[in-house]
Amino acid sequence: MSYFGDIAKAVSTISTGMKITFAHFKNVGKNKGTFTTQYPKETLTAPAFSRQQLHNNIDDCIGCKKCAMACPVDCIDIVTVKAGADELSDCSDGTKRRLHLTVYDIDMAKCMFCGLCTYPCPTHCLTINDDHNFIKFERSELKYKFSAYSPEDVVRIEKEAAEREVIAKAEKAAKAKAKAEAAAKKKAAEVAKAKAEAEKVETAPEPEKTEPKAKTEPVAKTQVEQVVEVKKEEVKLPVAEAKENEAKAEEIKPTEDASKEANSDNETKES
Amino acid sequence: MDNIFLWIAITLGAMVGLVSVVGIVSIYLERKISAFMQDRLGPMEVGFGSLVNAIAGKEVLREGRIGLAQSLADGLKLLQKEDIIPDGADKFLFKLAPMIVFAGTFSTFAALPLAEYFIPADVNIGLFYILAISSFGVSGILMAGWSSNNKWGLLGSLRSTAQMVSYEIPVGVSLVSIVMLTGTLSMKGIVVAQEGWFWNWHLFGAVGHHGLIGFVLLPMMVINFIAYFIGSLAETNRAPFDIPEAESELVAGYHTEYTGMRFAIFFLAEYGAIFVGNAIAVALFLGGWYSGIPAIDQANIPGIAPLVFILKTFVLIFVVMWIRWTLPRLRVDQLMTLCWKYLIPFTLFTFFSVAIYKVFIV
Amino acid sequence: MVIADFAFILVAAFVLICACVVVFHNKIIYSAFALLFCFFGVAGLYVFLNAEFLAGTQLLVYVGGISVLILFGILLTKNIEDLTSKEVSTQKIFGGLISVTFLGGLIYMVNSVDWKVSTPKPIENSPVEIGKLFMSDFLIPFEIAGVLLLVALIGAVVIGRDTDKDLEV
């Protein structure tokens, strides 16, 4: 009879279901039992290549601002100050650094985790990693500051840069004046020998250009070392030193064509 | 005169304590059991130590907690919540409804035989009283549903009432069989009739008292017990009979609009009703405060009788929760089919069988 | 005895207030709920008369059954919010007169009857005695009531049955 058949079916199906749930109930203490991750105590690793948190290796950053331009939501904030000659160490891949990064902030509250900023980075110092554990209590805490300088450092660097600029301007003005005078003299003296003179003018700027590509240090220096070095160089900046470096640079010049390219790239950006 | 008031105060206090503790423990168990059955962990953070520390403003340690104080913390949270009364609600009835529902459940605790000398009110119609007074809560549910001026609330309360009124019949008839067998309506009398070994329990046909002929009763009593158990599930609106508060269609049924402590009172009443429903099953079918082994009962260990009773009740409550987290919800017509086409014929059959047994065999 | 009297007055006042709300309240739903509480209070009065079984029956039948049925009927009625009993009470003067006359008659009757206090002790186990009476002295009324209820039940099923459709569904 279907009436009692229904009852039998109900009993059997219910007992099957109850057995299943009880099996799960029993297994709870064992390893296979639970799927809960007790978050603060234990964390799961994010899948490989997942885009979670931006990290900038500031020692390798040349301050080119390409990442900031690539960012669709403008969450990267960069302020650079021109560094003096050889004030900064080179990047780990040999690229020359010329700018102090006084501000390098990434606002992870704004970030939309597209990862577009990491592609244009010439020195591959800006990376997006799988560290997803960056919970903060305040939104302002999500603004990650990567700059290696303390506020006092920033003040000092800016001051120095300003001083250098003043000196450079004065020098430039003097040079320009001298040049103008020289040109005037030349014009006045010998117009006919212009051919030979022109060659000389063309070759003249070349050593100046190669000058900044000084010593190549394969290992990036730590901040402390860097600061110390900056101070050291501050002390012995005079002309003799610079001449020494010039000689050095000329020695090394042929070996680093690649880095030169990158540098020239940066220069165009800066200008 | 003073003694009477003192006695009333003590009894009321003890009962309020019992209801609250039962509610808190049941909610904790529910959360843990549901978690375990779904391969989760359930509440893990709030232990009693961390609760005390959190209140005192000290550092909260995370180690070694299994969430024992979670329900207590939830209760504290609900106490602090805003008490929202909807604009369109009928304010007076809205406030009255949770009290009525809770009163309906709370009053039934009065006749629960926790131990031979530990019954708040041992009236000679104890079982009848429990059945009657629990129907008082139905009106509270109707009141809650109507006064919140919410279509889900009203639908939920109508469903709940229809369900409770229909299932009162199989529940009542299955209990009447026991009453016929023992010849008393007093809860104490019914439990005392099951003294001794566990085969004296009504679930096993009270074989000890009736001799071998008692085995005739055994299938009847098992059917009775199952019918009562299913009926009590439906009367307390538990899954799979939880259509009155079916989350997926009615949000929360009759307590959709309730917040804070009023909601907590509904919850407390619900778990209290589950406790009472299973306590009746224990008292009537499973030997009440008798442990089933005479040596233990006669050892006179203080407090063992209520402990045995509550332990048995919680075993049944575990089964209730186990069922809840296993079976899907029934449709309204399936619910009524189960009641009228299956439970009522079966309970009537056992009713007549027990009557024939009582008249012709004993 | 003072406590019992105090409790009795409380319960009686409760019943009276509820009854007044039933009659005078504008909203019909309030009247229905008040009726429910009125029945509940009457059950309390039965307890004072040592008729616990009757009190339980009152609760089960009137509070759990009939009141809920009335409430059900009201809740399923359309536009229940707008409906007030004012629409019904059109003949206030006539109705008032009749009620006052009736009240006077009742007061006269209560005062004129010589009420006796019953001396026998209350029966200890009333359900057993009631059952015995049902099965002996009052067997025919009891059975007739049973048949009446059965007829009503069958009648309800017949009325509620959907004749247009196949019965197997």
Side-chain angles (χ1 to χ4, degrees):
Chain A
M1 247 173 99
S2 75
Y3 182 79
F4 291 103
D6 286 347
I7 294 171
K9 199 180 169 190
V11 170
S12 74
T13 48
I14 288 171
S15 57
T16 308
M18 303 274 279
K19 264 181 218 158
I20 290 169
T21 40
F22 194 72
H24 283 267
F25 181 78
K26 267 195 317 191
N27 281 338
V28 80
K30 292 154 197 165
N31 276 339
K32 58 177 179 176
T34 47
F35 294 99
T36 309
T37 310
Q38 289 205 273
Y39 171 61
K41 291 181 206 166
E42 50 189 69
T43 48
L44 297 172
T45 48
F49 304 115
S50 70
R51 302 191 294 259
Q52 303 290 349
Q53 189 162 19
L54 285 166
H55 178 75
N56 189 13
N57 186 4
I58 199 71
D59 288 342
D60 273 3
C61 185
I62 56 174
C64 65
K65 292 189 181 172
K66 279 187 175 179
C67 45
M69 278 175 209
C71 183
V73 292
D74 289 340
C75 70
I76 304 176
D77 194 10
I78 304 174
V79 174
T80 53
V81 174
K82 261 191 181 173
D86 301 313
E87 215 176 319
L88 287 168
S89 59
D90 282 1
C91 301
S92 55
D93 64 350
T95 315
K96 186 83 182 139
R97 293 202 297 158
R98 300 172 172 200
L99 299 167
H100 288 294
L101 281 154
T102 52
V103 175
Y104 191 103
D105 291 354
I106 298 181
D107 194 348
M108 292 308 284
K110 280 189 201 165
C111 180
M112 60 183 229
F113 306 99
C114 61
L116 288 177
C117 49
T118 60
Y119 296 111
C121 186
T123 56
H124 305 294
C125 66
L126 185 64
T127 48
I128 187 158
N129 58 27
D130 62 356
D131 177 18
H132 53 85
N133 193 356
F134 52 105
I135 296 160
K136 297 284 184 281
F137 285 99
E138 296 288 332
R139 187 171 286 188
S140 58
E141 286 174 48
L142 280 169
K143 199 160 194 173
Y144 286 82
K145 297 185 193 309
F146 289 100
S147 176
Y149 302 121
S150 63
E152 298 91 66
D153 283 344
V154 171
V155 169
R156 179 176 56 75
I157 286 163
E158 276 170 355
K159 201 176 154 195
E160 281 171 16
E163 278 168 7
R164 255 199 312 278
E165 208 171 319
V166 169
I167 294 166
K169 253 182 194 169
E171 270 177 15
K172 215 176 181 180
K175 232 180 201 175
K177 212 178 176 185
K179 225 178 196 175
E181 273 171 20
K185 262 182 192 174
K186 274 170 200 165
K187 258 184 188 171
E190 292 165 280
V191 184
K193 284 175 191 173
K195 218 179 182 182
E197 286 287 273
E199 235 173 44
K200 213 179 180 181
V201 173
E202 260 180 36
T203 49
E206 215 182 313
E208 209 179 311
K209 200 179 182 184
T210 49
E211 180 214 292
K213 272 175 237 84
K215 45 191 174 165
T216 50
E217 276 175 83
V219 185
K221 282 175 184 172
T222 61
Q223 290 173 24
V224 181
E225 276 174 349
Q226 217 174 315
V227 171
V228 169
E229 202 164 305
V230 166
K231 277 183 180 168
K232 262 186 203 167
E233 279 174 8
E234 230 178 299
V235 179
K236 45 170 185 177
L237 213 113
V239 194
E241 185 85 19
K243 268 182 185 170
E244 221 180 87
N245 280 350
E246 224 178 283
K248 249 188 204 168
E250 262 169 5
E251 267 174 38
I252 298 155
K253 198 180 155 191
T255 56
E256 34 165 50
D257 275 358
S259 61
K260 198 177 170 185
E261 249 179 59
N263 255 3
S264 60
D265 218 349
N266 291 341
E267 273 169 343
T268 49
K269 262 272 138 62
E270 275 300 306
S271 62
Chain B
M1 224 170 90
D2 283 341
N3 283 339
I4 288 173
F5 283 122
L6 195 68
W7 186 81
I8 289 171
I10 288 172
T11 317
L12 275 180
M15 276 165 67
V16 169
L18 186 66
V19 177
S20 322
V21 168
V22 159
I24 284 168
V25 171
S26 305
I27 290 169
Y28 174 72
L29 281 180
E30 173 102 277
R31 295 184 66 172
K32 271 300 194 195
I33 288 168
S34 70
F36 289 172
M37 283 181 180
Q38 296 171 341
D39 291 344
R40 296 183 285 113
L41 284 173
M44 289 292 280
E45 292 296 323
V46 191
F48 282 105
S50 57
L51 187 68
V52 169
N53 280 351
I55 292 168
K58 286 180 196 160
E59 190 190 0
V60 178
L61 299 171
R62 288 188 180 281
E63 296 309 314
R65 306 257 171 267
I66 52 166
L68 270 176
Q70 183 68 53
S71 317
L72 213 61
D74 283 347
L76 279 175
K77 180 197 76 177
L78 284 170
L79 265 175
Q80 298 168 47
K81 281 214 165 186
E82 189 189 354
D83 178 31
I84 299 170
I85 299 175
D87 259 356
D90 192 312
K91 307 264 182 317
F92 178 68
L93 292 182
F94 189 83
K95 286 176 189 166
L96 192 64
M99 298 179 207
I100 302 273
V101 172
F102 187 72
T105 306
F106 184 65
S107 314
T108 51
F109 273 75
L112 283 188
L114 291 175
E116 195 163 2
Y117 300 106
F118 191 34
I119 309 172
D122 180 27
V123 283
N124 58 12
I125 54 154
L127 184 59
F128 195 60
Y129 164 78
I130 290 179
L131 277 182
I133 203 88
S134 63
S135 64
F136 187 56
V138 175
S139 56
I141 287 172
L142 266 178
M143 203 184 271
W146 185 81
S147 65
S148 44
N149 196 13
N150 178 314
K151 53 182 172 294
W152 292 307
L154 188 59
L155 272 177
S157 67
L158 285 178
R159 281 185 187 185
S160 171
T161 316
Q163 180 177 323
M164 283 164 112
V165 170
S166 328
Y167 274 82
E168 225 156 65
I169 299 162
V171 164
V173 175
S174 64
L175 294 184
V176 165
S177 302
I178 301 289
V179 173
M180 272 198 300
L181 208 60
T182 52
T184 174
L185 275 169
S186 150
M187 294 296 274
K188 190 175 166 184
I190 291 169
V191 176
V192 167
Q194 306 173 67
E195 195 178 354
W197 287 96
F198 59 86
W199 51 71
N200 285 347
W201 296 356
H202 286 139
L203 178 63
F204 304 114
V207 182
H209 292 317
H210 303 286
L212 279 181
I213 196 79
F215 278 110
V216 178
L217 276 179
L218 199 138
M220 304 301 151
M221 285 302 156
V222 171
I223 290 172
N224 249 346
F225 175 70
I226 291 169
Y228 172 76
F229 191 70
I230 293 171
S232 77
L233 276 182
E235 280 212 40
T236 49
N237 300 330
R238 287 294 290 188
F241 308 104
D242 61 343
I243 56 163
E245 37 191 288
E247 295 92 349
S248 41
E249 34 183 317
L250 290 186
V251 185
Y254 54 86
H255 50 63
T256 304
E257 295 286 357
Y258 282 88
T259 54
M261 207 52 209
R262 292 185 206 282
F263 173 75
I265 285 171
F266 272 117
F267 235 64
L268 214 58
E270 195 180 315
Y271 281 95
I274 292 164
F275 182 84
V276 170
N278 291 301
I280 294 171
V282 166
L284 264 65
F285 292 96
L286 296 172
W289 62 78
Y290 295 115
S291 58
I293 299 156
I296 295 175
D297 297 326
Q298 284 154 14
N300 269 332
I301 306 161
I304 189 93
L307 203 70
V308 166
F309 187 91
I310 288 170
L311 211 67
K312 279 179 186 173
T313 311
F314 270 103
V315 168
L316 279 187
I317 288 177
F318 170 74
V319 177
V320 169
M321 289 168 181
W322 183 9
I323 288 170
R324 173 170 180 188
W325 298 103
T326 305
L327 300 179
R329 186 180 305 128
L330 266 69
R331 236 168 29 213
V332 182
D333 62 321
Q334 290 169 336
L335 186 91
M336 289 301 160
T337 307
L338 179 66
C339 179
W340 293 99
K341 286 190 183 168
Y342 292 89
L343 290 184
I344 289 179
F346 270 97
T347 47
L348 282 177
F349 170 68
T350 55
F351 171 74
F352 281 118
S353 312
V354 173
I356 289 165
Y357 174 87
K358 185 80 178 168
V359 173
F360 294 108
I361 297 178
V362 176
Chain C
M1 268 301 102
V2 181
I3 299 168
D5 287 347
F6 181 65
F8 175 79
I9 289 165
L10 262 183
V11 173
F14 178 72
V15 172
L16 277 177
I17 291 166
C18 287
C20 287
V21 173
V22 174
V23 177
F24 293 117
H25 207 284
N26 279 340
K27 281 186 182 167
I28 195 161
I29 191 93
Y30 270 84
S31 298
F33 278 119
L35 185 66
L36 189 145
F37 289 121
C38 190
F39 287 148
F40 191 73
V42 170
L45 291 181
Y46 285 140
V47 173
F48 281 106
L49 297 171
N50 276 315
E52 287 100 346
F53 188 79
L54 198 58
T57 315
Q58 168 86 10
L59 275 181
L60 200 64
V61 174
Y62 283 94
V63 176
I66 290 173
S67 293
V68 169
L69 207 68
I70 292 170
L71 279 170
F72 238 82
I74 291 169
L75 292 187
L76 290 175
T77 313
K78 225 179 172 185
N79 294 333
I80 185 67
E81 305 266 345
D82 312 328
L83 196 70
T84 55
S85 55
K86 262 183 187 164
E87 295 164 18
V88 189
S89 56
T90 47
Q91 293 179 313
K92 280 181 187 170
I93 301 159
F94 261 114
L97 265 175
I98 290 170
S99 338
V100 168
T101 324
F102 202 69
L103 183 71
L106 274 176
I107 289 172
Y108 175 73
M109 190 197 82
V110 167
N111 280 333
S112 59
V113 170
D114 180 24
W115 297 100
K116 282 175 185 167
V117 180
S118 73
T119 43
K121 277 194 173 178
I123 301 155
E124 270 299 302
N125 205 354
S126 58
V128 175
E129 299 304 318
I130 291 170
K132 277 177 183 164
L133 282 176
F134 269 145
M135 283 298 144
S136 55
D137 290 2
F138 299 96
L139 183 61
I140 288 181
F142 181 65
E143 292 295 328
I144 286 174
V147 170
L148 185 73
L149 284 176
L150 186 69
V151 168
L153 199 70
I154 293 168
V157 170
V158 168
I159 292 167
R161 196 170 64 176
D162 196 348
T163 46
D164 294 339
K165 284 182 185 168
D166 190 4
L167 292 178
E168 285 301 305
V169 174

